Amino acid sequence: MRQSRFSHLFVFAIVIVFITACGGGSQKKAETDSIDNPDSVIVNSMPAANTTITTPQNMMIAIHKVANFEKWIISYEGHDSIRLASQVHSYVIGRGLMDSNLVMVAVKVDDIAKAKAFSKDPGLKKAMQQSGVTSTPVFSFVTMTFQDTAIVHTGIRSRSVFQVKDWDTWQKAFEEGKQDRLDNGIIVRAYGHDADDNHKVVVVTALMDTAKANAYWKSDMLKSRMKAAGVIGMPERYMFQVVRRY
């Protein structure tokens, strides 16, 4: 009787060892392989989130100088209710790389006509003067047709404005140059055109490598691309550092 019980236990132990060797240890082996072999990749079946927005977004952009940025930003954020009353929503604030008191304010707008009226409001002019704005603001009203909301690890931006012969021709050529831009440390964050004239283009890019970007902007390759795309003249660039996102 004792021998029979021992035989059953022996057989059961062999079965357990066999199952562990064949299947039970497969997960542990996969984990060990991924550690021992750094080139092994565990594939995530979840699709990557789409960070691009192609629904047109109207914006108002103002560029002006301030006497003291810290005092100005307190005043700006204290007047949010006035902006909301005109359906204007704070979006991004940047400070110039060459002159940190040259400020760019980008806001999203629900109604271009109301935003234009807001920019001419005497109350806004008075509020800006009281906040320490020292130059006449330059306003522009644009329709962004492309935005990328993916996180990038730099706050350095370039805003380029230029004329084109034809929007569709330019856009096609611009999209074809994506890899060249990436190779030179330039990531497009948004582009579009003047709200009333699609021949006036606006492009906002993030600069991962400013040295490469500057060299690319001066390159013959880019000049050829711009010519083929129907760009008229040279872009006007404003380099800034993002300091607020709302």
Side-chain angles (χ1 to χ4, degrees), residues 86-123:
S86 296
Q87 298 181 355
V88 172
H89 311 274
S90 294
Y91 184 39
V92 171
I93 292 178
R95 300 182 71 176
L97 289 185
M98 301 300 291
D99 182 352
S100 61
N101 285 326
L102 184 61
V103 177
M104 185 206 74
V105 179
V107 295
K108 294 182 178 181
V109 303
D110 298 334
D111 187 307
I112 283 288
K114 286 185 177 181
K116 288 181 177 180
F118 174 70
S119 70
K120 298 176 182 178
D121 190 322

Short mmCIF file of all heavy atoms in Angstrom, two decimals, residues 86-123:
data_model
loop_
_atom_site.label_atom_id
_atom_site.label_comp_id
_atom_site.label_asym_id
_atom_site.label_seq_id
_atom_site.Cartn_x
_atom_site.Cartn_y
_atom_site.Cartn_z
N SER A 86 -15.56 88.24 -25.54
CA SER A 86 -15.46 88.39 -27.00
C SER A 86 -15.16 87.06 -27.68
O SER A 86 -14.74 87.03 -28.84
CB SER A 86 -14.37 89.42 -27.35
OG SER A 86 -14.72 90.70 -26.87
N GLN A 87 -15.34 85.97 -26.94
CA GLN A 87 -15.12 84.61 -27.45
C GLN A 87 -13.67 84.42 -27.90
O GLN A 87 -13.38 83.81 -28.91
CB GLN A 87 -16.08 84.30 -28.60
CG GLN A 87 -17.54 84.34 -28.17
CD GLN A 87 -18.50 84.01 -29.30
OE1 GLN A 87 -18.11 83.84 -30.45
NE2 GLN A 87 -19.78 83.94 -28.96
N VAL A 88 -12.77 84.96 -27.08
CA VAL A 88 -11.34 84.84 -27.31
C VAL A 88 -10.75 84.01 -26.16
O VAL A 88 -10.99 84.31 -24.99
CB VAL A 88 -10.67 86.23 -27.35
CG1 VAL A 88 -9.15 86.11 -27.39
CG2 VAL A 88 -11.17 87.02 -28.56
N HIS A 89 -9.98 82.97 -26.51
CA HIS A 89 -9.50 82.02 -25.50
C HIS A 89 -7.97 81.96 -25.51
O HIS A 89 -7.35 81.69 -26.55
CB HIS A 89 -10.05 80.62 -25.79
CG HIS A 89 -11.54 80.61 -26.02
ND1 HIS A 89 -12.44 80.51 -24.98
CD2 HIS A 89 -12.27 80.71 -27.17
CE1 HIS A 89 -13.67 80.53 -25.48
NE2 HIS A 89 -13.60 80.66 -26.80
N SER A 90 -7.36 82.20 -24.36
CA SER A 90 -5.90 82.15 -24.25
C SER A 90 -5.37 80.79 -24.70
O SER A 90 -5.97 79.75 -24.41
CB SER A 90 -5.46 82.43 -22.81
OG SER A 90 -5.78 83.75 -22.44
N TYR A 91 -4.23 80.82 -25.39
CA TYR A 91 -3.68 79.58 -25.93
C TYR A 91 -2.19 79.44 -25.64
O TYR A 91 -1.76 78.58 -24.89
CB TYR A 91 -3.94 79.54 -27.44
CG TYR A 91 -3.51 78.26 -28.13
CD1 TYR A 91 -3.68 77.02 -27.53
CD2 TYR A 91 -2.92 78.31 -29.39
CE1 TYR A 91 -3.29 75.85 -28.16
CE2 TYR A 91 -2.53 77.15 -30.04
CZ TYR A 91 -2.72 75.92 -29.42
OH TYR A 91 -2.31 74.78 -30.05
N VAL A 92 -1.36 80.34 -26.22
CA VAL A 92 0.09 80.26 -26.05
C VAL A 92 0.68 81.65 -25.91
O VAL A 92 0.25 82.59 -26.58
CB VAL A 92 0.77 79.55 -27.25
CG1 VAL A 92 2.29 79.68 -27.16
CG2 VAL A 92 0.37 78.08 -27.31
N ILE A 93 1.66 81.78 -25.02
CA ILE A 93 2.42 83.02 -24.91
C ILE A 93 3.90 82.68 -25.09
O ILE A 93 4.42 81.73 -24.49
CB ILE A 93 2.21 83.71 -23.55
CG1 ILE A 93 0.77 84.21 -23.45
CG2 ILE A 93 3.19 84.87 -23.35
CD1 ILE A 93 0.43 84.87 -22.13
N GLY A 94 4.58 83.48 -25.91
CA GLY A 94 6.00 83.26 -26.15
C GLY A 94 6.79 84.53 -25.95
O GLY A 94 6.26 85.64 -26.06
N ARG A 95 8.08 84.36 -25.63
CA ARG A 95 8.99 85.51 -25.48
C ARG A 95 10.09 85.37 -26.52
O ARG A 95 10.65 84.28 -26.75
CB ARG A 95 9.59 85.54 -24.09
CG ARG A 95 8.57 85.66 -22.98
CD ARG A 95 9.22 85.72 -21.61
NE ARG A 95 9.91 87.00 -21.39
CZ ARG A 95 10.51 87.35 -20.25
NH1 ARG A 95 10.52 86.49 -19.23
NH2 ARG A 95 11.11 88.51 -20.13
N GLY A 96 10.42 86.47 -27.17
CA GLY A 96 11.43 86.45 -28.22
C GLY A 96 12.78 85.94 -27.74
O GLY A 96 13.20 86.25 -26.63
N LEU A 97 13.45 85.17 -28.60
CA LEU A 97 14.78 84.68 -28.24
C LEU A 97 15.81 85.80 -28.27
O LEU A 97 16.74 85.82 -27.47
CB LEU A 97 15.19 83.55 -29.20
CG LEU A 97 14.45 82.21 -29.06
CD1 LEU A 97 15.07 81.19 -30.00
CD2 LEU A 97 14.49 81.70 -27.63
N MET A 98 15.66 86.72 -29.20
CA MET A 98 16.61 87.83 -29.31
C MET A 98 16.27 88.96 -28.34
O MET A 98 17.15 89.65 -27.87
CB MET A 98 16.62 88.36 -30.75
CG MET A 98 16.99 87.32 -31.80
SD MET A 98 18.64 86.64 -31.54
CE MET A 98 19.64 88.08 -31.92
N ASP A 99 14.98 89.11 -28.05
CA ASP A 99 14.53 90.16 -27.14
C ASP A 99 13.40 89.56 -26.30
O ASP A 99 12.27 89.40 -26.77
CB ASP A 99 14.03 91.37 -27.93
CG ASP A 99 13.57 92.52 -27.04
OD1 ASP A 99 13.50 92.33 -25.81
OD2 ASP A 99 13.26 93.61 -27.57
N SER A 100 13.69 89.23 -25.05
CA SER A 100 12.72 88.55 -24.20
C SER A 100 11.53 89.42 -23.82
O SER A 100 10.53 88.93 -23.29
CB SER A 100 13.39 88.02 -22.93
OG SER A 100 13.95 89.09 -22.17
N ASN A 101 11.61 90.72 -24.08
CA ASN A 101 10.48 91.60 -23.82
C ASN A 101 9.60 91.80 -25.06
O ASN A 101 8.62 92.54 -25.01
CB ASN A 101 10.96 92.97 -23.32
CG ASN A 101 11.41 92.91 -21.86
OD1 ASN A 101 10.86 92.15 -21.06
ND2 ASN A 101 12.42 93.68 -21.52
N LEU A 102 9.97 91.11 -26.16
CA LEU A 102 9.11 91.10 -27.35
C LEU A 102 8.21 89.88 -27.22
O LEU A 102 8.65 88.75 -27.40
CB LEU A 102 9.95 91.05 -28.62
CG LEU A 102 9.18 91.15 -29.94
CD1 LEU A 102 8.43 92.48 -30.03
CD2 LEU A 102 10.12 90.99 -31.12
N VAL A 103 6.96 90.12 -26.90
CA VAL A 103 6.03 89.06 -26.52
C VAL A 103 5.08 88.72 -27.67
O VAL A 103 4.61 89.61 -28.39
CB VAL A 103 5.21 89.48 -25.28
CG1 VAL A 103 4.18 88.42 -24.91
CG2 VAL A 103 6.16 89.74 -24.11
N MET A 104 4.80 87.43 -27.81
CA MET A 104 3.79 86.96 -28.76
C MET A 104 2.66 86.31 -27.99
O MET A 104 2.89 85.44 -27.15
CB MET A 104 4.37 85.94 -29.74
CG MET A 104 3.37 85.53 -30.82
SD MET A 104 3.66 83.89 -31.52
CE MET A 104 3.09 82.85 -30.17
N VAL A 105 1.44 86.75 -28.27
CA VAL A 105 0.25 86.19 -27.64
C VAL A 105 -0.61 85.55 -28.74
O VAL A 105 -1.03 86.22 -29.68
CB VAL A 105 -0.57 87.26 -26.91
CG1 VAL A 105 -1.82 86.64 -26.28
CG2 VAL A 105 0.28 87.96 -25.86
N ALA A 106 -0.84 84.26 -28.63
CA ALA A 106 -1.70 83.54 -29.58
C ALA A 106 -2.95 83.09 -28.84
O ALA A 106 -2.86 82.45 -27.79
CB ALA A 106 -0.97 82.34 -30.17
N VAL A 107 -4.10 83.45 -29.38
CA VAL A 107 -5.37 83.06 -28.76
C VAL A 107 -6.26 82.40 -29.81
O VAL A 107 -6.18 82.70 -31.00
CB VAL A 107 -6.10 84.29 -28.17
CG1 VAL A 107 -5.31 84.89 -27.03
CG2 VAL A 107 -6.37 85.35 -29.24
N LYS A 108 -7.09 81.48 -29.35
CA LYS A 108 -8.08 80.87 -30.24
C LYS A 108 -9.35 81.71 -30.20
O LYS A 108 -9.71 82.24 -29.15
CB LYS A 108 -8.39 79.44 -29.79
CG LYS A 108 -7.22 78.48 -29.92
CD LYS A 108 -7.61 77.08 -29.51
CE LYS A 108 -6.45 76.11 -29.69
NZ LYS A 108 -6.81 74.71 -29.31
N VAL A 109 -9.99 81.85 -31.35
CA VAL A 109 -11.19 82.69 -31.41
C VAL A 109 -12.35 81.91 -32.01
O VAL A 109 -12.16 81.10 -32.91
CB VAL A 109 -10.93 83.99 -32.21
CG1 VAL A 109 -9.78 84.77 -31.61
CG2 VAL A 109 -10.64 83.69 -33.67
N ASP A 110 -13.53 82.17 -31.49
CA ASP A 110 -14.73 81.51 -32.00
C ASP A 110 -15.31 82.25 -33.19
O ASP A 110 -15.99 81.66 -34.03
CB ASP A 110 -15.80 81.43 -30.90
CG ASP A 110 -15.35 80.59 -29.72
OD1 ASP A 110 -14.50 79.70 -29.91
OD2 ASP A 110 -15.84 80.83 -28.60
N ASP A 111 -15.06 83.55 -33.25
CA ASP A 111 -15.64 84.39 -34.29
C ASP A 111 -14.60 85.43 -34.71
O ASP A 111 -14.23 86.30 -33.90
CB ASP A 111 -16.91 85.06 -33.75
CG ASP A 111 -17.68 85.81 -34.81
OD1 ASP A 111 -17.08 86.66 -35.51
OD2 ASP A 111 -18.90 85.57 -34.95
N ILE A 112 -14.15 85.35 -35.95
CA ILE A 112 -13.11 86.27 -36.44
C ILE A 112 -13.58 87.71 -36.36
O ILE A 112 -12.82 88.62 -35.96
CB ILE A 112 -12.70 85.91 -37.88
CG1 ILE A 112 -11.77 84.69 -37.89
CG2 ILE A 112 -12.01 87.08 -38.56
CD1 ILE A 112 -10.37 84.96 -37.37
N ALA A 113 -14.83 87.99 -36.74
CA ALA A 113 -15.35 89.36 -36.73
C ALA A 113 -15.31 89.94 -35.31
O ALA A 113 -14.91 91.09 -35.11
CB ALA A 113 -16.77 89.38 -37.29
N LYS A 114 -15.70 89.13 -34.32
CA LYS A 114 -15.67 89.61 -32.93
C LYS A 114 -14.23 89.82 -32.47
O LYS A 114 -13.93 90.76 -31.73
CB LYS A 114 -16.37 88.60 -32.02
CG LYS A 114 -17.88 88.62 -32.14
CD LYS A 114 -18.52 87.69 -31.12
CE LYS A 114 -20.04 87.75 -31.19
NZ LYS A 114 -20.68 86.87 -30.19
N ALA A 115 -13.33 88.96 -32.91
CA ALA A 115 -11.92 89.09 -32.53
C ALA A 115 -11.32 90.36 -33.12
O ALA A 115 -10.56 91.07 -32.45
CB ALA A 115 -11.14 87.87 -33.00
N LYS A 116 -11.67 90.67 -34.35
CA LYS A 116 -11.17 91.90 -34.98
C LYS A 116 -11.70 93.13 -34.25
O LYS A 116 -10.97 94.11 -34.03
CB LYS A 116 -11.57 91.93 -36.46
CG LYS A 116 -10.80 90.94 -37.32
CD LYS A 116 -11.22 91.03 -38.78
CE LYS A 116 -10.40 90.09 -39.64
NZ LYS A 116 -10.78 90.15 -41.08
N ALA A 117 -12.96 93.08 -33.87
CA ALA A 117 -13.55 94.20 -33.13
C ALA A 117 -12.87 94.33 -31.76
O ALA A 117 -12.59 95.44 -31.29
CB ALA A 117 -15.05 93.97 -32.97
N PHE A 118 -12.57 93.20 -31.13
CA PHE A 118 -11.91 93.19 -29.83
C PHE A 118 -10.52 93.83 -29.93
O PHE A 118 -10.11 94.58 -29.02
CB PHE A 118 -11.80 91.75 -29.33
CG PHE A 118 -11.01 91.60 -28.06
CD1 PHE A 118 -11.51 92.07 -26.85
CD2 PHE A 118 -9.78 90.98 -28.07
CE1 PHE A 118 -10.78 91.92 -25.68
CE2 PHE A 118 -9.04 90.83 -26.90
CZ PHE A 118 -9.55 91.31 -25.70
N SER A 119 -9.80 93.55 -31.01
CA SER A 119 -8.44 94.09 -31.17
C SER A 119 -8.44 95.61 -31.30
O SER A 119 -7.42 96.26 -31.03
CB SER A 119 -7.76 93.47 -32.39
OG SER A 119 -8.36 93.92 -33.60
N LYS A 120 -9.59 96.18 -31.69
CA LYS A 120 -9.69 97.64 -31.87
C LYS A 120 -10.42 98.32 -30.71
O LYS A 120 -10.60 99.54 -30.73
CB LYS A 120 -10.43 97.94 -33.18
CG LYS A 120 -9.73 97.41 -34.42
CD LYS A 120 -10.57 97.65 -35.67
CE LYS A 120 -9.88 97.08 -36.91
NZ LYS A 120 -10.71 97.25 -38.13
N ASP A 121 -10.79 97.53 -29.73
CA ASP A 121 -11.54 98.07 -28.60
C ASP A 121 -10.66 99.02 -27.78
O ASP A 121 -9.55 98.66 -27.37
CB ASP A 121 -12.00 96.91 -27.71
CG ASP A 121 -12.99 97.34 -26.64
OD1 ASP A 121 -12.82 98.44 -26.07
OD2 ASP A 121 -13.92 96.56 -26.36
N PRO A 122 -11.13 100.25 -27.53
CA PRO A 122 -10.36 101.20 -26.72
C PRO A 122 -10.05 100.66 -25.32
O PRO A 122 -9.01 100.97 -24.74
CB PRO A 122 -11.29 102.42 -26.62
CG PRO A 122 -12.15 102.32 -27.85
CD PRO A 122 -12.38 100.85 -28.04
N GLY A 123 -10.94 99.82 -24.80
CA GLY A 123 -10.70 99.23 -23.48
C GLY A 123 -9.49 98.31 -23.49
O GLY A 123 -8.73 98.27 -22.51
#
